[in-house]
């Protein structure tokens, strides 16, 4: 695969997999408003994924379409960061996963709007507006849970501890990012990190949470080495398509 | 296509297509319809989605094709193109569109401050630089400005849910984007 196709798929897959996770929660959130919110955030991510897959389709020598990218690839071919495939867990874990993703996507998309690649610039100019809205919502939940009751504080603290190493995978960079960043196409994740760190520090301070000082990051997602959870997510997501390949209705 | 089909007729035809999620409004009222132009023998209609995941886009596309066919253009001469840039903003909703929203009990979006406007119009928050809306949200039923946000998301991705503290009616507000 060309570096650009790899780069586009990495971001398409982040959005698709988190959309699938959020979709799992529809009709099981604690109240109606959160149920609608989780569906809407998931829909935004699905829409962003489709825009990236559309572009990937044009870059792909085999011209695979969006369904083929989403439904015909296996675990080792998915290039999402391991954060987004982590299970929903409890409400605190779902919101913390979302917050860490949002805190990364806002500065990522902001930087991508300046890409020399007009297509990436257009997709991200659209997506950044949605990501900002997501971040406002997830930040509010992190603060509410962290500064809430002893039970909610304990749960969100556990979510931080569990998810932090996977958040590090968002900042993985290899010659794909480095080469494309040098030519003004991609965003070097290292340039996104200071904003991510500042957002986390800011929100965690309001939430009475401490930022983990363990620098360990569980890398691998961007090159197809996933946690076991993706292996359970994909069969559920793909079963209908694989039973009826190419069906339309 | 027949000579009689003028550019104005083509635009007017495409402009009648209702938004599937807010049917009192047309796609022209919402600013989704960007252009209708002739390219050679073809008519190219350009639309832009409100949100990345807007599920109404396919339906809007088929509605546009039907409307332009009704105006007298052969179906194989019509192309609908989707563009992402410049990204849709609620500032593109027309005055007519805002009036129709209010009449349907939906609070229209406020206009956004110009990014290069007066100091304070752009707040730099943890969610980055963001153009801020001007003015207050008011209840579409009684006009009261004493309102409370109940949920950041509502019946569709483009709306949030509010309650009026004066008349106690809940209402949808098209959120500023």
């Amino acid at each position: 695969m060309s570096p650009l196709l790899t780069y586009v798929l990495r971001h398409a897959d982040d959005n698709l997999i988190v959309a699938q996770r959020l979709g799992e929660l529809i009709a099981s959130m604690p109240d109606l408003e959160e149920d609608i919110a989780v569906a809407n955030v998931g829909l935004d991510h699905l829409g962003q994924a489709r825009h990236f897959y559309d572009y990937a389709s044009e870059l792909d020598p085999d011209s695979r379409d969006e369904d083929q990218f989403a439904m015909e690839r296996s675990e080792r071919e998915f290039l999402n960061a391991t954060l987004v495939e982590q299970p929903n867990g409890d409400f605190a874990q779902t919101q913390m996963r979302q917050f860490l993703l949002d805190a990364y996507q806002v500065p990522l998309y902001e930087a991508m709007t300046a890409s020399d690649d007009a297509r990436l610039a257009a997709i991200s100019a659209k997506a950044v507006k949605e990501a900002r809205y997501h971040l406002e919502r997830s930040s509010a939940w992190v603060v509410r849970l962290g500064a809430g009751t002893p039970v909610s504080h304990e749960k969100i603290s556990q979510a931080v501890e569990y998810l932090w190493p996977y958040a590090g995978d968002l900042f993985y960079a290899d010659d794909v990012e480095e080469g494309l960043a040098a030519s003004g196409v991609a965003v070097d994740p290292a340039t996104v990190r200071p904003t991510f760190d500042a957002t986390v520090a800011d929100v965690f301070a309001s939430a009475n949470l401490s930022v983990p000082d363990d620098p360990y990051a569980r890398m691998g997602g961007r090159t197809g080495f996933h946690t076991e959870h993706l292996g359970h997510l994909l069969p559920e997501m793909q079963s209908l398509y694989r039973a009826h390949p190419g069906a339309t209705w | 296509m027949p000579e009689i089909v003028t550019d104005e007729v083509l635009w007017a035809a495409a402009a009648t297509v209702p938004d599937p999620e807010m049917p009192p409004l047309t796609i022209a009222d919402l600013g989704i319809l960007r252009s209708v132009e002739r390219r050679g023998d073809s008519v190219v209609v350009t639309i832009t989605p409100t949100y990345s995941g807007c599920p109404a886009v396919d339906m809007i596309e088929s509605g546009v094709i039907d409307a332009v066919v009704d105006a007298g253009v052969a179906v194989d001469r019509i192309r609908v193109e989707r563009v992402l840039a410049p990204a849709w903003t609620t500032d593109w909703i027309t005055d007519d569109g805002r009036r129709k929203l209010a009449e349907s009990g939906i609070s229209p979006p406020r206009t956004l401050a110009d990014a290069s406007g007066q100091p304070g119009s752009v707040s730099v928050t943890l969610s980055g630089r963001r153009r801020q809306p001007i003015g207050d949200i008011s209840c579409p039923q009684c006009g009261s400005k004493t309102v409370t946000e109940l949920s950041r998301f509502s019946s569709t991705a483009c709306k949030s849910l509010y309650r009026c503290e004066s008349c106690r009616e809940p209402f949808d507000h098209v959120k500023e984007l």
Side-chain angles (χ1 to χ4, degrees):
Chain A
M1 284 202 299
S2 71
L4 183 56
L5 178 56
T6 303
Y7 185 71
V8 171
L9 285 177
R10 285 175 177 176
H11 297 290
D13 292 346
D14 275 358
N15 284 298
L16 176 69
I17 299 302
V18 81
Q20 174 68 14
R21 278 290 184 228
L22 294 172
E24 290 170 8
L25 292 167
I26 293 172
S28 57
M29 289 300 270
D31 61 36
L32 183 59
E33 285 76 14
E34 276 312 303
D35 211 76
I36 292 169
V38 87
N40 274 310
V41 173
L43 187 61
D44 284 344
H45 284 299
L46 188 62
Q48 293 167 18
R50 292 185 65 180
H51 289 152
F52 282 116
Y53 286 132
D54 268 352
Y55 189 27
S57 182
E58 291 168 27
L59 299 169
D60 185 34
D62 301 326
S63 304
R64 283 171 289 179
D65 65 16
E66 56 179 359
D67 275 351
Q68 291 174 301
F69 281 122
M71 302 302 176
E72 290 185 5
R73 285 181 305 153
S74 60
E75 190 186 338
R76 284 282 281 108
E77 296 168 284
F78 272 82
L79 305 179
N80 56 282
T82 48
L83 175 74
V84 294
E85 72 207 30
Q86 296 312 305
N88 290 321
D90 58 16
F91 186 75
Q93 188 168 314
T94 298
Q95 294 300 354
M96 181 52 66
R97 187 189 60 210
Q98 191 64 38
F99 168 71
L100 294 169
L101 178 66
D102 297 341
Y104 157 79
Q105 282 193 331
V106 168
L108 171 80
Y109 289 147
E110 272 176 356
M112 205 183 279
T113 57
S115 170
D116 286 343
D117 183 305
R119 192 70 174 272
L120 287 177
I123 294 170
S124 54
K126 183 96 211 141
V128 70
K129 294 183 172 198
E130 294 153 6
R132 284 183 189 133
Y133 203 78
H134 299 169
L135 179 60
E136 285 182 14
R137 174 176 167 275
S138 59
S139 303
W141 270 118
V142 169
V143 172
R144 198 162 159 189
L145 295 172
T149 66
V151 173
S152 71
H153 180 82
E154 177 60 23
K155 289 192 173 182
I156 195 91
S157 302
Q158 284 170 2
V160 175
E161 195 179 338
Y162 171 62
L163 292 170
W164 190 255
Y166 302 111
D169 199 19
L170 295 167
F171 299 96
Y172 171 86
D174 56 19
D175 47 2
V176 169
E177 274 80 9
E178 282 155 16
L180 291 172
S183 56
V185 170
V187 178
D188 179 354
T191 63
V192 170
R193 185 86 206 212
T195 311
F196 171 87
D197 285 338
T199 305
V200 170
D202 196 9
V203 172
F204 279 20
S206 307
N208 302 330
L209 293 169
S210 27
V211 181
D213 50 15
D214 185 352
Y216 171 70
R218 197 297 194 186
M219 301 285 194
R222 297 276 188 236
T223 49
F225 291 98
H226 293 279
T227 59
E228 69 168 292
H229 306 294
L230 187 66
H232 295 272
L233 178 150
L234 291 180
E236 183 175 329
M237 183 176 82
Q238 298 176 336
S239 63
L240 184 68
Y241 182 93
R242 288 185 184 272
H244 306 278
T248 56
W249 59 86
Chain B
M1 77 193 75
E3 283 300 313
I4 193 78
V5 185
T6 62
D7 289 356
E8 289 74 20
V9 168
L10 289 174
W11 172 272
T16 58
V17 176
D19 178 75
E21 291 187 338
M22 290 187 277
L25 278 79
T26 68
I27 58 172
D29 291 334
L30 282 169
I32 294 171
L33 180 64
R34 301 312 302 156
S35 67
V36 182
E37 54 179 344
R38 294 162 190 270
R39 281 188 216 156
D41 275 351
S42 298
V43 175
V44 180
V45 180
T46 306
I47 57 175
T48 191
T50 52
Y51 281 75
S52 294
C54 178
V57 179
D58 291 332
M59 205 167 155
I60 290 172
E61 188 170 319
S62 61
V64 164
I65 292 171
D66 288 348
V68 179
V69 166
D70 287 347
V73 181
V75 69
D76 56 0
R77 296 279 170 81
I78 306 166
R79 221 167 61 236
V80 180
E81 288 187 355
R82 301 174 186 189
V83 293
L84 294 178
W88 183 81
T89 159
T90 43
D91 283 352
W92 291 349
I93 299 180
T94 61
D95 290 342
D96 219 24
R98 287 163 198 273
R99 183 182 51 77
K100 289 184 196 170
L101 280 170
E103 284 171 6
S104 320
I106 301 170
S107 150
R110 295 163 292 171
T111 48
L112 293 165
D114 191 326
S116 58
Q118 67 275 32
S121 63
V122 179
S123 71
V124 182
T125 63
L126 54 90
S127 55
R129 295 175 65 83
R130 187 165 176 180
R131 295 162 64 208
Q132 293 299 304
I134 304 165
D136 301 311
I137 295 172
S138 54
C139 169
Q141 308 292 342
C142 73
S144 166
K145 289 183 170 21
T146 316
V147 298
T148 307
E149 186 188 68
L150 296 179
S151 174
R152 301 194 71 98
F153 292 92
S154 186
S155 54
T156 62
C158 54
K159 294 184 232 130
S160 48
L161 185 64
Y162 279 75
R163 179 177 58 214
C164 173
E165 299 299 347
S166 300
C167 70
R168 307 298 290 171
E169 285 286 329
F171 64 90
D172 269 343
H173 169 69
V174 176
K175 58 204 188 200
E176 295 78 14
L177 187 77

